């Protein structure tokens, strides 16, 4: 939700000021390309799905010490006008050798967003593309009701590529996590 | 959001529904053999669709192409979808049987995103057109005043480019000489 009619790009300081207000104590906000957006409250299905993906990513990443998996309160403070909170994300140890004390200041290698039916396609796509422009390699956009995942990547010409993986398919990350394989059916609760 | 009716139809039955005279029958689609009712077309949507349709029509008619406004297209035996503007070669139009209310897949499909459409619904629709042979789908976002140009790449993935109000639409290799500032598609 946009906070107010905007006449300029908001910054990290604006976001901090907004979050410091007492009336916002229980709220989460993101800053996406200079626009402050309130993060909608999560319902059972999306948060369960995000937790499952996080579990399977951790099951691959932790034993091999490949990096960091964040959950839905993991912040990515990226430059002056982006502060994003993916539902889960992977940051490789190669790009981030040590965990930072505060927010991550590099884009995750993989960002995962779980969509609710009320979400707006344009907003979903804008956020996915923003991750890619800011340095993410892959974005998974998960559609619980359709039991499908859209895999977003940035093409060399600046276009965005979307590959649909249906419930019978498998999510893989050969360029980020070789050997990782997650059947989409395992992501969705029965 | 579309309303999925628990009603399985074949394409002839669906065409019969479309041929009915009431306006409600014009906002339906057949998706995987199931009847879907679309949200109403708002004034803003009608305006932006008309802006594109008029501009495309002016350029296309000299190039053995035809532009259809808000028409149904048969994408497969189980899929008949509606789009706001379609561009077809003249010979494809001439093959349409006169009483038919359904056309073959257009070369170019233009649709307008509605707040009631779920994200997946729109993406599925874009893919359905492209897999049926449509070369490009333009999705207009009236609120954001941007246009997504969708194509299938050689791997079968959907390729999207977003044009904002500073950009120009071109015919994408389908309609030579077509050029329209995105800013002219949306009302000030």
């Amino acid at each position: 939700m946009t906070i107010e009619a905007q006449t300029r790009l908001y910054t990290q300081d604006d976001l901090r000021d907004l979050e410091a207000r007492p009336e916002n104590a229980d709220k989460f906000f993101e800053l996406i390309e200079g626009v402050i957006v309130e993060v909608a409250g999560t319902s059972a299905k999306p948060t369960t799905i995000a937790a499952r993906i996080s579990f399977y990513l951790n099951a691959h990443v932790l034993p091999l010490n490949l990096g960091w998996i964040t959950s839905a309160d993991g912040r990515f403070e990226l430059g002056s006008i982006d502060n994003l909170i993916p539902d889960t994300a992977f940051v490789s140890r190669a790009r981030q050798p040590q965990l930072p004390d505060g927010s991550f200041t590099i884009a995750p290698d993989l960002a995962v967003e779980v969509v609710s039916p009320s979400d707006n396609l344009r907003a979903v796509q804008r956020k996915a593309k923003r991750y890619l422009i800011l340095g993410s390699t892959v974005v998974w956009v998960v559609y619980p009701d359709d039991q499908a995942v859209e895999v977003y990547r940035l093409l060399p010409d600046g276009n965005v590529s979307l590959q649909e993986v249906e419930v019978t398919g498998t999510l893989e990350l050969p360029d980020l996590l070789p050997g990782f394989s997650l059947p989409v059916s395992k992501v969705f609760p029965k | 959001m579309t309303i999925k009716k628990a009603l399985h139809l074949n394409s002839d039955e669906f065409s019969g529904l479309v041929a009915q005279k009431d306006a409600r029958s014009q906002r339906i689609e057949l998706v995987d053999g199931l009847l879907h009712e679309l949200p109403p077309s708002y004034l803003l949507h009608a305006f932006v669709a008309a802006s594109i349709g008029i501009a495309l029509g002016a350029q296309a008619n000299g190039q053995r192409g035809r532009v259809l406004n808000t028409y149904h297209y048969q994408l497969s035996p189980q899929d008949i979808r509606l789009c706001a503007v379609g561009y077809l070669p003249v010979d494809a139009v001439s093959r349409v049987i006169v009483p038919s209310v359904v056309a073959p897949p257009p070369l170019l499909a233009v649709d307008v995103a509605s707040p009631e459409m779920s994200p997946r619904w729109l993406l599925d629709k874009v893919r359905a057109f492209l897999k049926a042979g449509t070369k490009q789908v333009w999705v207009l976002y009236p609120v954001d005043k941007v246009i997504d140009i969708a194509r299938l790449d050689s791997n079968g993935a959907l390729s999207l480019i977003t044009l904002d109000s500073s950009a120009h639409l071109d015919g994408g290799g389908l309609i030579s000489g077509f050029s329209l500032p995105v800013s002219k598609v949306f009302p000030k």
Side-chain angles (χ1 to χ4, degrees), chain B residues 165-183:
Chain B
S165 56
S166 64
H168 274 67
L169 270 171
D170 64 32
L174 303 171
I175 308 166
S176 64
F178 176 77
S179 177
L180 181 67
V182 172
S183 59

Side-chain angles (χ1 to χ4, degrees), chain A residues 125 143 150 160 162 164, chain B residues 120 127 144 148 158 160-161:
Chain A
Q125 289 188 348
Y143 291 90
E150 295 278 357
V160 173
L162 277 77
E164 179 188 34
Chain B
R120 278 285 297 172
R127 279 201 175 89
D144 296 287
D148 275 351
L158 193 63
L160 284 182
I161 186 161

Side-chain angles (χ1 to χ4, degrees), chain B residues 14-148:
Chain B
F14 179 85
S15 297
L17 269 182
V18 173
Q20 292 176 10
K21 296 270 185 272
D22 64 299
R24 196 176 165 82
S25 69
Q26 303 306 312
R27 299 286 301 164
I28 55 176
E29 292 189 345
L30 190 65
V31 182
D32 291 333
L34 271 178
L35 180 66
H36 286 248
E37 188 174 324
L38 301 181
S41 180
Y42 299 107
L43 183 63
L44 177 60
H45 296 178
F47 177 90
V48 296
S51 300
I52 291 272
I54 291 167
L56 279 174
Q59 190 71 24
N61 284 339
Q63 300 188 32
R64 299 191 54 74
R66 290 288 181 267
V67 171
L68 306 182
N69 282 327
T70 310
Y71 209 73
H72 283 93
Y73 299 89
Q74 179 130 27
L75 306 183
S76 79
Q78 300 293 309
D79 287 276
I80 298 176
R81 311 296 288 258
L82 189 69
C83 77
V85 179
Y87 169 74
L88 297 94
V90 168
D91 60 342
V93 177
S94 65
R95 286 200 305 272
V96 175
I97 301 166
V98 171
S100 175
V101 291
V102 175
L107 282 177
L108 167 67
V110 183
D111 214 358
V112 185
S114 158
E116 290 95 339
M117 290 177 180
S118 76
R120 278 285 297 172
W121 166 265
L122 202 48
L123 280 179
D124 279 348
K125 185 170 178 176
V126 167
R127 279 201 175 89
F129 272 95
L130 294 172
K131 286 178 178 173
T134 297
K135 301 298 182 193
Q136 282 190 15
V137 180
W138 299 350
V139 182
L140 314 183
Y141 293 89
V143 174
D144 296 287
K145 298 186 178 183
V146 298
I147 300 174
D148 275 351

Side-chain angles (χ1 to χ4, degrees), chain A:
Chain A
M1 183 183 71
T2 305
I3 300 305
E4 59 191 52
Q6 205 173 324
T7 54
R8 65 179 174 84
L9 293 182
Y10 288 127
T11 65
Q12 307 289 356
D13 287 341
D14 296 315
L15 182 65
R16 278 187 279 273
D17 289 345
L18 185 73
E19 289 180 325
R21 293 182 194 169
E23 67 268 27
N24 293 331
D26 298 329
K27 296 177 181 173
F28 287 97
F29 298 93
E30 288 181 295
L31 179 65
I32 306 173
E33 212 174 349
V35 178
I36 295 178
V37 177
E38 184 178 347
V39 178
T42 51
S43 52
K45 198 188 283 186
T47 191
T48 302
I49 290 168
R52 283 180 177 223
I53 294 172
S54 174
F55 167 80
Y56 288 112
L57 285 169
N58 259 323
H60 185 88
V61 166
L62 285 180
L64 300 171
N65 202 21
L66 296 174
W68 323 103
I69 306 297
T70 65
S71 64
D73 48 4
R75 281 194 173 275
F76 291 80
E77 189 175 319
L78 307 171
S80 59
I81 58 168
D82 289 279
N83 194 315
L84 305 175
I85 313 174
D87 291 315
T88 186
F90 163 65
V91 184
S92 66
R93 190 178 282 275
R95 292 176 63 234
Q96 180 77 51
Q98 299 290 329
L99 268 180
D101 288 332
S103 302
F104 284 95
T105 54
I106 59 170
D109 297 70
L110 164 71
V112 181
E113 293 285 347
V114 185
V115 169
S116 77
S118 60
D119 281 339
N120 169 283
L121 176 60
R122 180 75 201 122
V124 170
Q125 289 188 348
R126 188 168 49 210
K127 191 172 175 187
K129 187 171 183 181
R130 198 66 191 153
Y131 279 115
L132 296 172
I133 288 171
L134 292 167
S136 294
T137 303
V138 185
V139 180
W140 291 346
V141 178
V142 182
Y143 291 90
D145 289 347
D146 299 287
Q147 301 212 332
V149 180
E150 295 278 357
V151 178
Y152 284 68
R153 288 176 181 269
L154 198 62
L155 298 170
D157 60 6
N159 292 1
V160 173
S161 163
L162 277 77
Q163 187 80 51
E164 179 188 34
V165 185
E166 295 180 325
V167 71
T168 53
T170 301
L171 291 166
E172 295 177 337
L173 294 163
D175 44 351
L176 293 179
L177 295 172
F180 175 80
S181 177
L182 173 56
V184 173
S185 59
K186 287 192 172 183
V187 168
F188 300 105
K190 296 274 187 297

